């Protein structure tokens, strides 16, 4: 990317240092929104942007909540006031990773966040800077920029974002320091209290606060105050009024004649008419006359238009006094007069799309009075503009900051062209007569319910051009509703199990719609059973568990009737279902979950405040209910198949280990939580002619096939060991067997034969992690065993034997790589971590020690691999 000349002359992007925390004045903000506003505005200006946002984490940490909006209307961003922390959105990614993001155009955004682009298909650039306090990420600062402006170099963007983040963090840190200490019976240590303060003061669950960006330089309004004694005809004027009249104070004699001498001869009547109207008790409004401008060049006379506004007051015995103001009329009024003379319609919209100005021609073309238009979005007051498509054109202009044009057919059949020119403070629009677009019908627009040009909606009239696609029968969804549907669909495609689906629904639905409670029920054998709940008081849902489908409850009725139910207040719910138990929620939606015509269950959402469900929200929630039902049905089938496969795998593992004198052994197995959760890890303890064999192995892959190969290998090792083969031959024969199976699978294995009478051991390792040995004195090491290749790689591979001796009181640990593999680090680091835990454990038994060693892996929700562990404590056989 290249540097941009988007900043003032002589200033490079990124050179503008953002101010740090203010001292006094602006630094004394009592609200977090005020603290964040100044650095956000500075960041937008430094990047040459048109808008900025600051998100803070919510109290439940599930969501990022929009706190401050600069340069953009809050209404335009309504669907994104609250976004899930786990969403595929750039601000959520920046928050989760703690790394800044720079997306210079629509293409970069689409490659990284395709679901986000699908919901906001507009061209713009965005920068995302995580914000931290005390080393903890608490939010994200976002700057929006036109993608068509001269591009910024990435280094410049990084400098600006770094300064923006630093400034925001310093101001937040000062805000937290000023915060009162958290109220609690026992706050614990000082560090704990400080952490509580940071968490409490940097959480947000309110509505966003809008902040205006500085207005561009404009012609300054000049205004001076005057008093005109109508009885004595004397004037008093302040310095600005005298300047507008072109008079110095020492030259002004205070008479009306002195004022008239400065007025253009053609306008002298206007000044006299002001006196007559005032003496008659009338208010003076917008009386305009021109005064001589002493700044004229070349000796030519030049006049400046001014207006007089005022009203008469009684000043006791002094008589009547006109109190008013002289206003220079070279700005807005003159511009409005010029606009009134244009042949095209001209209008202005504020950031929320409301009309703030419309000239005479615009009123004529749109067929509405000016008072009907002012203060309203045009698509809300003009029937033939009442289509989400036209509102979307406004949204596209505001978010891309590029002109947008389109054509509309009015009720008389005439075509009007619209052009929207955006700016950071609103839009200026032009409307004009034009011809029909290529392929469009030029006929009159029919009444609602029929398509332009005749025929019913969605069906072309007889003789219509078949190359022109018929109008949509249903208006396209708005971006906010589309975003929620796309985002949920994306999350559910990655959910495999029922638990995954429930968690995805909880992480997406609650933040997206601002709900506080969620309950997912599934129907089984004619009864409703709870799958997942979030936010409910403890025990509240117990009374609803297992209710039959004949029960008078809204969640049941939604499923049996297949109709969604929405209750906007507790009174509405209690009226429909008298006696129903209520908690603190004030609004609810009950969504039926139906997949392929088959009832699956119900989804219940609760809100803390009464609310009105808009048509967009209802449509989005109903669509999301269908997605959830399909995902749950798919996941239930998967879970059933997975349970069968898991039963197969558990049947292949030893149900109990043999009791060997002098040894105490125990095993642990944890299936992976990703995919089918079926793997090829196994362990075994086998009696042999020379003592006992300790075995652990791992077939690569996670499938029923991997479990089947594992069963074959375990049986082969057991047979070879029990028949008296020494360790080297056991492993060699097993390797050859796997190669001959042609199963396209490989396996690792560690085989140790131990004599309980002497502690003498012989070990063979085939590509497997080294065992860990804890000596009687507590010293722990990874045994350096000479190894061979994995089983199944080379049919004639040789496997050397390593001999060692165990001392009484030693503990030997055999494990698979699932126990020691850690994301982002090599396997050696994981082995060292387990070795330290092995060495420092204070467990009194091998059972307790085994639980301690697999404890960290058991606590990982997304465990990619199986975990197997075989612990053996050597006590020496009696009488040895």
């Amino acid at each position: 990317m290249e540097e941009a000349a988007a900043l003032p002359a002589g200033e490079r992007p990124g050179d503008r240092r953002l101010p740090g925390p203010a001292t006094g004045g602006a630094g004394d903000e009592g609200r977090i929104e005020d603290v964040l506003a100044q650095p956000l505005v500075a960041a937008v200006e430094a990047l040459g942007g048109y808008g900025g946002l600051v998100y803070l984490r919510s109290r439940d940490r599930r969501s990022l909540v929009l706190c401050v909006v600069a340069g953009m209307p809050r209404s335009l961003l309504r669907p994104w006031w609250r976004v899930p922390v786990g969403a595929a959105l750039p601000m959520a990614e920046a928050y989760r990773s703690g790394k800044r993001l720079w997306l210079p155009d629509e293409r970069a955004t689409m490659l990284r966040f395709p679901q986000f682009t699908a919901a906001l298909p507009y061209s713009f650039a965005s920068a995302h800077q995580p914000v931290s306090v005390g080393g903890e990420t608490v939010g994200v600062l976002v700057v929006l920029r036109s993608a068509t402006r001269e591009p910024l170099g990435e280094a410049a963007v990084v400098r600006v974002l770094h300064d923006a983040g630093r400034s925001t963090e310093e101001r937040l840190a000062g805000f937290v320091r000023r915060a009162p200490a958290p109220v609690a019976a026992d706050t614990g240590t000082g560090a704990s209290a400080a952490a509580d303060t940071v968490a409490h003061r940097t959480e947000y669950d309110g509505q966003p606060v809008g902040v205006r960006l500085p207005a561009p330089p404009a012609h300054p309004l000049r205004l001076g105050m005057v008093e005109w004694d109508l009885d004595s005809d004397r004037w008093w004027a302040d310095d600005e009024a005298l300047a507008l009249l072109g008079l110095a104070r020492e030259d002004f004699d205070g008479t009306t004649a002195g004022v008239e001498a400065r007025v253009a001869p053609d306008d002298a009547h206007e000044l006299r008419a002001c006196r007559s109207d005032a003496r008659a008790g009338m208010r003076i409004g917008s009386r305009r006359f021109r005064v001589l401008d002493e700044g004229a060049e070349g000796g030519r006379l030049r006049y400046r238009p001014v207006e007089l506004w005022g009203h008469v007051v009684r000043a006791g015995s002094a008589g009547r006094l006109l109190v008013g103001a002289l206003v220079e009329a070279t700005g807005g009024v003159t511009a409005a007069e010029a606009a009134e003379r244009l042949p095209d319609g001209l209008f202005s919209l504020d950031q929320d799309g409301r009309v703030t100005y419309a000239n005479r021609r615009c009123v004529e073309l749109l067929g509405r009075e000016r008072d009907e238009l002012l203060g309203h979005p045009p698509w809300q007051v003009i029937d033939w503009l009442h289509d989400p498509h036209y509102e979307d054109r406004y949204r596209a202009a505001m978010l891309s900051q590029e002109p947008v044009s389109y054509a509309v057919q009015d009720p008389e059949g005439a075509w009007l062209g619209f052009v929207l020119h955006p700016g950071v403070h609103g839009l200026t629009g032009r409307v004009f007569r034009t011809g029909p677009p290529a392929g469009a019908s030029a006929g009159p627009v029919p009444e609602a319910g029929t398509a332009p040009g005749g025929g019913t909606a969605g069906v072309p009239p007889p003789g219509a051009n078949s190359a022109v696609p018929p109008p949509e029968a249903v208006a396209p969804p708005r971006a906010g509703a589309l975003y929620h549907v796309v985002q949920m669909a994306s999350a559910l495609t990655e959910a495999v199990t029922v638990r995954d689906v429930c968690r995805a629904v909880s992480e997406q639905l609650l933040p997206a719609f601002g709900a506080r409670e969620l309950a997912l029920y599934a129907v089984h054998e004619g009864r409703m059973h709870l799958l997942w709940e979030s936010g409910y008081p403890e025990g509240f849902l117990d009374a609803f568990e297992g209710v039959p489908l004949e029960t008078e409850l809204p969640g049941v009725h939604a499923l049996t009737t297949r109709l969604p139910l929405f209750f906007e207040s507790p009174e509405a719910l209690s009226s429909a279902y008298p006696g129903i138990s209520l908690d603190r929620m004030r609004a609810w939606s009950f969504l039926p979950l139906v997949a392929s015509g088959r009832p699956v269950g119900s989804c219940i959402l609760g809100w803390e405040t009464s609310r009105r469900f808009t048509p967009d929200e209802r449509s989005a929630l109903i669509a999301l209910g269908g997605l959830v039902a399909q995902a749950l049905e798919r996941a239930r089938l998967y879970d059933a198949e997975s349970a069968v496969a898991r039963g197969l795998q558990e049947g292949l593992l030893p149900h109990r280990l043999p009791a060997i004198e002098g040894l105490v052994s125990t095993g642990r197995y944890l299936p992976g939580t990703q995919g089918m959760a079926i793997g090829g890890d196994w362990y075994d303890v086998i009696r042999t002619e020379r003592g006992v064999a300790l075995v652990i192995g791992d077939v690569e892959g996670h499938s029923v096939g991997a479990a089947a190969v594992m069963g074959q290998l375990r049986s082969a090792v057991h047979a070879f060991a029990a028949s008296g083969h020494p360790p080297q031959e056991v492993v060699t024969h097993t390797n050859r067997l796997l190669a001959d199976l042609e199963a396209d699978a490989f396996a690792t294995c560690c085989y140790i034969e131990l004599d309980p009478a002497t502690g003498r051991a012989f070990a063979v390792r085939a590509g497997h992690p080294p065992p860990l040995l804890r000596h009687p004195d507590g010293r722990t090491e990874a045994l350096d065993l000479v190894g061979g290749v994995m089983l199944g790689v080379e049919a004639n591979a040789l496997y050397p034997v390593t001999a060692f001796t165990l001392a009484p009181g030693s503990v030997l640990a055999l494990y698979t790589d699932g126990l020691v593999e850690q994301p982002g680090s090599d396997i050696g680091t994981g082995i060292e971590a387990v070795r330290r835990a092995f060495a420092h454990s204070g467990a009194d038994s091998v059972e307790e020690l085994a639980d301690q060693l697999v404890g960290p892996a058991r606590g990982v929700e997304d465990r990619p691999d199986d975990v197997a562990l075989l612990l053996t404590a050597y006590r020496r056989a009696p009488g040895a």
Side-chain angles (χ1 to χ4, degrees), residues 653-660 662-669 682-686 692-696 810-816 819 838 843-854 858 867-875:
L653 291 172
H655 295 287
R656 65 174 181 269
L657 299 177
I660 309 294
L663 301 178
V664 180
S665 296
T666 189
R668 294 291 185 272
Y669 174 78
W682 92 92
Y683 59 84
D684 211 344
V685 176
I686 308 166
V692 62
L694 310 175
V695 191
I696 197 160
S810 301
V811 182
L812 189 65
L814 305 181
Y815 54 89
T816 56
L819 183 68
F838 193 23
D844 295 329
S845 67
V846 290
E847 297 290 343
E848 185 179 349
L849 177 57
D851 289 336
Q852 289 181 1
L853 293 182
V854 300
R858 194 186 299 275
V867 173
L869 171 68
L870 177 62
L871 279 183
T872 301
Y874 175 54
R875 300 289 186 257

Side-chain angles (χ1 to χ4, degrees), residues 335-341 346-350 354-360 362 370 373-375:
E337 286 184 347
E340 292 296 328
R341 294 190 287 268
L346 195 69
F347 60 93
S348 178
L349 307 180
D350 64 14
R354 294 183 291 258
V355 178
T356 57
Y357 170 77
N359 70 351
R360 174 186 52 81
C362 177
R370 200 187 311 262
L373 294 173
L374 293 179

